[in-house]
């Protein structure tokens, strides 16, 4: 990998609950807690975790929609953190976002051509012919004909809406694209088409992806590295093939065990993670996963584990060495 295009260091994102009349102010809720990672140019980094773990909040903090309470964000060697959201979005214009629900992100009263034209106007492209040329080029890049400019969002299928969302992002010439659940709600055949399109676009335009997904099979296929999040923290980060072949954090192992799979034409029984994720308002002391972890001991509830990096893999677990040894010694199923 080349020099990082994006560097995230100990980012914290908090939200303040509204104050009730004659009641003391509630403490802020920490949705992202000291998250650090680098993103190399041309890389696809997967971000995985259960709903509510902070994936989308982290992505919107990187984008500048949310303001970080602490930590540093460096984009192409330039510090872009510590400013108000409006200025942050201006400084981070090389980062763009593809929404999880493309239909909801497209104005139902505007035709596709107008939706794409709006972004170019906002970014200062005043020549009408140049805007028209770039719109046609982006539609062609995502596999749609120029005639789609005259359609409304409700006239498009889910896969076509995803393509329009990609076109609206690409038309602004970003360096980094954040893809939030880009295949959710799509048929398997459409998923495959959209994923291949994302690969082709990445190669054609030299893009870097931050890829948020619940689907482990998609992450395994698309991502160079994967980061596993739990209650606002990254608990494991490493090359995708290494993490899938030998998870070091018990939460990563639990996610992989919970994913259904087929063997010899039969659906294997998935091993579910016990219990529900704790609320971000009441994070358990020590390791946040200790209340659901089958490997937890007394020390896990007493100490917050720090992130330890060995051979390019980082893991946040007090007992990861013992767990990794147990996994290695366990007979293959």
């Amino acid at each position: 990998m080349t020099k990082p295009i994006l560097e995230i260091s100990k980012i914290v994102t908090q939200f303040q609950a509204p104050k009730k009349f004659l009641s003391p102010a509630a403490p802020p809720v920490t949705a992202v807690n000291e998250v650090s990672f680098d993103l190399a140019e041309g890389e696809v980094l997967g971000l995985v975790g259960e709903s509510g773990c902070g994936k989308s909040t982290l992505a919107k903090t990187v984008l500048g929609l949310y303001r970080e309470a602490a930590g540093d964000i460096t984009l192409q060697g330039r510090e872009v953190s510590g400013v108000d959201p409006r200025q942050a979005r201006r400084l981070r214009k090389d980062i763009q976002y593809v929404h999880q629900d493309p239909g909801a992100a497209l104005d139902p009263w505007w035709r596709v051509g107008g939706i794409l034209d709006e972004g170019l106007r906002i970014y200062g492209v005043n020549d009408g012919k140049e805007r028209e040329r770039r719109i046609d080029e982006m539609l062609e890049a995502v596999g749609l004909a120029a005639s789609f400019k005259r359609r409304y969002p409700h006239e498009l299928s889910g896969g076509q809406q995803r393509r329009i969302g990609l076109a609206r992002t690409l038309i602004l010439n970003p360096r980094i694209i954040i893809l939030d659940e880009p295949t959710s709600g799509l048929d398997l055949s459409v998923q495959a088409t959209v994923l291949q399109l994302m690969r082709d676009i990445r190669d054609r335009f030299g893009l870097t992806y931050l890829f948020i997904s619940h689907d482990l099979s998609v992450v395994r296929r698309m991502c160079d590295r994967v980061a596993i999040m739990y209650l606002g923290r990254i608990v494991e980060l490493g090359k995708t093939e290494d993490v899938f072949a030998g998870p070091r954090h018990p939460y990563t192992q639990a996610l992989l065990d919970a994913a259904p799979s087929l063997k010899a034409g039969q659906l294997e029984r998935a091993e579910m993670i016990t219990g529900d994720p704790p609320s971000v308002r009441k994070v358990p002391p020590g390791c946040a996963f200790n209340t659901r972890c089958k490997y937890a001991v007394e020390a896990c509830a007493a100490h917050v584990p720090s992130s330890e990096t060995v051979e390019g893999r980082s893991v946040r677990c007090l007992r990861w060495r013992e767990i990794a040894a147990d996994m290695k010694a366990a007979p293959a199923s």
Side-chain angles (χ1 to χ4, degrees), residues 1-7 38-43 175 206-208 225:
M1 291 293 178
T2 58
K3 182 181 177 181
I5 188 174
L6 179 69
E7 298 171 82
D38 294 339
L39 191 58
E41 190 165 7
E43 181 183 24
R175 300 285 300 279
L207 298 171
T208 302
R225 290 188 300 150

Side-chain angles (χ1 to χ4, degrees), residues 12 15 43 45 71 75 78 82 90 98 144 157 181 201 212 217 225-227 249 262 280 282 284 297 318-319:
V12 176
F15 298 102
E43 181 183 24
L45 174 64
L75 176 63
R78 180 182 179 184
R90 193 162 56 245
V98 177
L144 297 175
S157 67
E181 299 285 357
I201 286 174
I212 302 171
S217 63
R225 290 188 300 150
V226 60
H249 196 281
L262 287 171
V280 290
K282 292 185 68 177
V297 294
L318 293 174
R319 304 192 62 217

Side-chain angles (χ1 to χ4, degrees), residues 268-318:
E268 273 198 330
R269 190 176 185 84
E271 184 178 335
M272 306 304 294
I273 307 175
T274 58
D276 295 321
S279 168
V280 290
R281 294 182 182 274
K282 292 185 68 177
V283 177
C287 172
F289 189 58
N290 82 83
T291 57
R292 307 170 73 194
C293 179
K294 62 183 180 181
Y295 297 102
V297 294
E298 201 171 304
C300 296
H303 304 285
V304 177
S306 58
S307 183
E308 187 175 352
T309 302
V310 178
E311 298 176 352
R313 294 268 299 279
S314 66
V315 62
R316 190 183 288 271
C317 177
L318 293 174

